[in-house]
Amino acid sequence: MNFQVNKQGYYGRFGGAYIPEMLYPNIEDLRERYLAIMNEPEFQKEFQELLQHYVGRPTPLYRAKRLSEKYNATIFLKREDLCHTGAHKINNTIGQILLAKRLGKQKIIAETGAGQHGVATATVCALMGMECIVYMGQLDMDRQRPNVERMRILGTTVVPAMSGNKTLKDATNEAMRHWINHPTDTHYIIGSVVGPHPYPDMVARFQSVISMEIRNQLQTEVGNPYPDYIIACVGGGSNAAGAFYHYLQEEHVALVGVEAAGKGVDSGESAATTALGKPGVLHGSKTLLMQTPDGQVIEPYSISAGLDYPGIGPLHAHLFDVGRVQFVSATDDEAMEAGIELSRLEGIIPAIETAHAIAALSKFEFTPDDIVVINLSGRGDKDLETYIRWGKY
Ligand SMILES: *Cc1c(COP(=O)(O)O)cnc(C)c1O
């Protein structure tokens, strides 16, 4: 089966570029040039050098002995939490800022929910000396104060989005509006495998360094590059896309995406998109979306800000459609317990997004020979407040 995006920007029945006419020239320019730029030897050299010396790649593939014992499997953790700024997101922002320079752009805009993508973008803009504006919902700014201040320390202007629920969806709308008004000098760095074509494909390619490294590291560790399972949490789906990418064709490798079930899939307060979603258009692409029967987007809910999104990227919607990726979900409670468990068993406090992937372990029957790779997308420092409020440790 072919899982690559086609010329029109579709993965099966999902994807495309549903954008206002004012953005056509920008998206068109990006679409025509992104692959050629990414394939330039000079681009690759600069990208790889920054990944190595600035981000800290390759990240370790760590054999988690005590976790393995507990779940009767051979479990490896891909340590994206050790990336500079604490999560996988910077793999993409480094790639996109190098691309923006080659497109001749001087300014960067981004949207952010919890602030992690905003911080990763502010970081690379400081690194490259580029002007940066990050749109963030007013409510999220109040909830994620430390990340707002991090961005400001890094020299970024954080602009509150005051419309709608004052969260991620509204910040994305504001960023789009800004881009429409400043199309020539500005590049919009989208933070996940979402948005109009070519963003989902471009972001997946930048994140695919994760599965490239897993292949090499497993070859060294266990003598072949193929695990039995790869498990990753899915918000928009960028860390999962990166962890799955170089295994999509290897159907004997089971790929598992973990969504946030919030207070329960049927509670009305969740972000379990594949369980609840129907095809619809959001932020420039056709994908699976949580929506009312008349097509209004339903506000998602998860204890984890990074998974609190009403859709998933079109690649994942397609992988779900054709059965290549199995989707499961974990509730707030299951994720918090799994986060504490990983802390106690391995001395690693995960991001609460990541804790959802850990929580999926209990939903499978493994044998000791099963090689399971969990993509440890981020570290828990940013979530200390949430752990404290949860309190059961
Ligand atoms: C943003 C984030 C996620 C969710 O985003 P994806 O695009 O689905 O990867 C997951 N984990 C961490 C640590 C994050 O910061």
Side-chain angles (χ1 to χ4, degrees):
M1 224 183 283
N2 179 9
F3 304 107
Q4 292 295 326
V5 76
N6 71 15
K7 277 263 180 304
Q8 290 73 41
Y10 280 85
Y11 304 90
R13 59 192 177 121
F14 299 109
Y18 297 77
I19 48 170
E21 207 166 333
M22 297 287 285
L23 285 180
Y24 275 14
N26 269 16
I27 297 287
E28 206 37 36
D29 190 35
L30 191 60
R31 189 182 65 76
E32 276 173 9
R33 296 173 65 190
Y34 79 110
L35 287 176
I37 292 175
M38 286 172 71
N39 287 328
E40 282 169 15
E42 257 312 301
F43 179 93
Q44 276 303 323
K45 182 162 174 283
E46 208 180 339
F47 184 46
Q48 297 304 333
E49 277 178 9
L50 284 170
L51 288 183
Q52 184 181 350
H53 300 295
Y54 189 71
V55 175
R57 307 203 70 91
T59 57
L61 185 70
Y62 163 69
R63 188 189 292 252
K65 292 211 184 61
R66 279 167 36 87
L67 194 69
S68 296
E69 255 166 51
K70 165 97 203 242
Y71 289 100
N72 194 38
T74 302
I75 301 174
F76 289 90
L77 304 176
K78 181 58 173 161
R79 298 291 309 273
E80 293 301 295
D81 60 315
L82 296 178
C83 289
H84 180 43
T85 68
H88 66 290
K89 289 211 170 69
I90 196 158
N91 303 325
N92 169 49
T93 57
I94 293 258
Q96 283 202 49
I97 198 132
L98 294 179
L99 194 111
K101 284 208 304 188
R102 283 159 176 82
L103 292 171
K105 309 291 184 181
Q106 297 95 45
K107 296 178 182 172
I108 298 296
I109 54 167
E111 85 297 338
T112 197
Q116 292 303 107
H117 173 56
V119 169
T121 303
T123 299
V124 299
C125 287
L127 177 69
M128 296 293 166
M130 278 168 93
E131 198 178 317
C132 180
I133 298 175
V134 170
Y135 287 90
M136 189 169 186
Q138 178 67 60
L139 187 67
D140 288 335
M141 285 180 71
D142 297 339
R143 291 192 293 197
Q144 310 287 338
R145 196 66 204 284
N147 275 342
V148 173
E149 297 313 321
R150 273 185 196 108
M151 287 186 267
R152 287 186 172 144
I153 289 169
L154 290 160
T156 280
T157 306
V158 184
V159 178
M162 312 293 282
S163 58
N165 283 41
K166 304 184 174 67
T167 60
L168 177 60
K169 187 162 51 64
D170 314 295
T172 306
N173 291 339
E174 298 281 329
M176 288 268 181
R177 200 164 304 145
H178 180 113
W179 207 24
I180 289 170
N181 291 325
H182 305 81
T184 48
D185 64 351
T186 301
H187 176 69
Y188 180 11
I189 298 189
I190 293 182
S192 190
V193 285
V194 300
H197 179 64
Y199 278 100
D201 184 50
M202 181 170 71
V203 177
R205 284 168 188 266
F206 285 138
Q207 292 292 359
S208 72
V209 63
I210 298 172
S211 48
M212 187 55 90
E213 288 176 7
I214 295 173
R215 287 183 76 111
N216 294 335
Q217 289 166 322
L218 275 183
Q219 180 70 51
T220 306
E221 280 290 316
V222 303
N224 86 73
Y226 306 116
D228 296 290
Y229 296 83
I230 303 176
I231 303 176
C233 65
V234 176
S238 68
N239 88 89
F244 297 165
Y245 195 88
H246 291 289
Y247 293 102
L248 288 172
Q249 302 295 337
E250 325 283 358
E251 307 249 355
H252 55 285
V253 178
L255 305 176
V256 180
V258 187
E259 294 182 317
K263 296 184 176 163
V265 170
D266 299 316
S267 67
E269 290 182 79
S270 92
T273 306
T274 59
L276 302 170
K278 298 270 179 304
V281 172
L282 182 69
H283 297 148
S285 70
K286 187 167 178 208
T287 190
L288 287 174
L289 262 186
M290 292 175 21
Q291 54 190 312
T292 61
D294 59 349
Q296 292 297 315
V297 174
I298 294 173
E299 282 302 320
Y301 164 80
S302 165
I303 193 167
S304 142
L307 302 185
D308 197 349
Y309 188 70
I312 49 172
L315 167 62
H316 291 290
H318 178 58
L319 293 170
F320 171 71
D321 225 20
V322 298
R324 177 64 188 98
V325 173
Q326 178 185 356
F327 282 84
V328 299
S329 64
T331 63
D332 287 359
D333 287 355
E334 289 170 332
M336 294 309 295
E337 279 162 20
I340 303 294
E341 179 177 86
L342 186 70
S343 306
R344 297 288 165 90
L345 287 178
E346 298 292 345
I348 298 169
I349 304 175
I352 293 170
E353 291 85 357
T354 315
H356 286 72
I358 309 289
L361 285 171
S362 65
K363 299 172 196 280
F364 291 85
E365 287 280 341
F366 299 114
T367 63
D369 289 342
D370 281 338
I371 294 174
V372 180
V373 174
I374 298 177
N375 198 35
L376 215 76
S377 58
R379 58 179 174 241
D381 307 31
K382 70 182 177 62
D383 294 319
L384 208 57
E385 273 304 318
T386 310
Y387 277 112
I388 293 167
R389 237 178 298 124
W390 162 257
K392 296 174 202 154
Y393 51 84

